[in-house]
Amino acid sequence: MREPRPRHYPTDLSDAEWAALEPLLPPPATRGRPLKWSRRLMVEAIFYLVRSGCAWRMLPTSFPPWQTVFAHFRRCRLDGTLRRAHDQLRALARKAEGRQAEASAAIIDSQTVRATGVGGPERGYDAAKRTAGRKRHILVDAAGLVLLAHVHAADLHERLGAQLLVGRASEGELPRLVLVWADGAYAGTFARWLEAERGWRVEVPKHCDRHLSRYGREDKPKGFQVIPRRWVVERTFAWLSRSRRLARDYERLPETAEAMIHAAMSRIMLRRIVA
């Protein structure tokens, strides 16, 4: 296999991280030409692109040609390799923190992201945020690790977007989940639909101090107040925003944007596993 000239980037995998990731990837094909580039180098090129936010054509020459990296990324997205590796890494990361592999509670929320001039389907205007682009809907566990992710048009209501998000999960997926924390936009119709479809209960956390002050039992608090549980999903959005490829929506297809979320979270979880 061909190796480029030596280089080092912060997104490169350590030997321990690659040892944790390699068993989760499918073995190389036994037919056809032998691999010209190592699989580790291809994975590092994808992590570099997601973290740095560069275009495919602007990958450094120390990586394989961008056409080769893009073809590898596209193949992993289409055959589900990227999603399966992400889910297996999440189970390992949860076990490393002393949790069970499957979550029993989760938090749901959406983030509106400004689009660029790339074009593509699933574009819209979010009047509440005054932003044209797409929405990222994610379901995360109590530690902030992504359970489900779905990207859709920004003009789609949270309730409908959340239904699309949950509908992407198969019946056997997330078997222990029973409770979902959310904000008020997901109460009512969506909460009833979710309990009927999946048996998951929706709970809306509130500002305890503000609730007490409403009845005159305590003084009204001043300044920023953290809402219980809901801050976890906001922190996950902050983690994703550190990957510059996700600072805006640069992807033509929403499926590619979802794959970028899985890639960014996979890099975060790899560091947790070997820490």
Side-chain angles (χ1 to χ4, degrees):
M1 274 178 283
R2 180 179 174 185
E3 291 287 347
R5 64 173 183 267
R7 84 286 180 274
H8 176 72
Y9 299 108
T11 52
D12 288 351
L13 296 170
S14 65
D15 292 339
E17 290 170 343
W18 176 243
L21 178 61
E22 187 178 17
L24 309 181
L25 303 177
T30 56
R31 297 183 178 182
R33 294 185 303 173
L35 294 178
K36 184 177 181 181
W37 305 93
S38 68
R39 295 196 299 168
R40 177 173 177 174
L41 195 61
M42 303 289 282
V43 172
E44 290 178 343
I46 294 173
F47 285 153
Y48 175 89
L49 179 135
V50 175
R51 182 66 178 86
S52 66
C54 71
W56 288 103
R57 289 172 173 80
M58 297 180 67
L59 276 174
T61 56
S62 52
F63 289 118
W66 73 267
Q67 299 94 329
T68 305
V69 179
F70 175 77
H72 179 77
F73 173 82
R74 182 176 181 273
R75 184 167 57 251
C76 290
R77 175 180 66 83
L78 292 176
D79 64 13
T81 297
L82 189 58
R83 170 70 185 279
R84 287 192 298 270
H86 168 272
D87 292 348
Q88 291 172 314
L89 285 173
R90 183 185 66 237
L92 294 175
R94 287 180 57 85
K95 290 180 179 179
E97 296 178 354
R99 303 172 182 266
Q100 295 192 34
E102 296 293 339
S104 60
I107 309 98
I108 190 172
D109 204 355
S110 67
Q111 178 191 46
T112 302
V113 186
R114 190 179 301 277
T116 60
V118 176
E122 295 291 331
R123 299 292 176 112
Y125 180 75
D126 186 350
K129 302 294 180 62
R130 298 182 181 180
T131 301
R134 289 175 174 153
K135 275 185 183 178
R136 296 173 185 149
H137 245 109
I138 61 174
L139 184 75
V140 304
D141 65 6
L145 304 181
V146 174
L147 302 173
L148 298 173
H150 180 54
V151 178
H152 55 80
D155 57 355
L156 196 64
H157 191 271
E158 276 77 2
R159 172 178 57 83
L160 300 176
Q163 290 180 358
L164 292 175
L165 171 71
V166 175
R168 296 168 65 89
S170 60
E171 291 295 333
E173 197 170 354
L174 306 176
R176 296 185 64 245
L177 192 62
V178 294
L179 175 62
V180 176
W181 288 295
D183 61 26
Y186 301 93
T189 304
F190 172 74
R192 292 189 294 270
W193 174 87
L194 188 62
E195 188 166 6
E197 286 289 322
R198 302 282 177 161
W200 301 347
R201 179 169 55 89
V202 175
E203 184 177 306
V204 180
K206 300 182 182 297
H207 286 291
C208 297
D209 294 339
R210 291 183 180 178
H211 188 71
L212 292 174
S213 65
R214 188 176 303 172
Y215 299 96
R217 297 179 61 183
E218 291 185 4
D219 294 335
K220 186 175 181 180
K222 297 180 180 180
F224 175 75
Q225 299 291 320
V226 176
I227 302 177
R229 299 296 182 180
R230 281 166 51 188
W231 65 269
V232 175
V233 68
E234 299 297 344
R235 182 183 61 178
T236 302
F237 282 130
W239 290 344
L240 295 175
S241 297
R242 294 186 65 185
S243 296
R244 294 190 177 185
R245 186 80 181 194
L246 297 172
R248 283 197 177 190
D249 191 289
Y250 293 98
E251 316 308 329
R252 182 175 296 276
L253 299 177
E255 294 82 4
T256 304
E258 295 166 9
M260 292 292 178
I261 293 175
H262 291 140
M265 289 302 302
S266 296
R267 190 68 189 94
I268 292 173
M269 292 186 292
L270 274 172
R271 290 181 172 173
R272 288 190 176 193
I273 292 171
V274 303

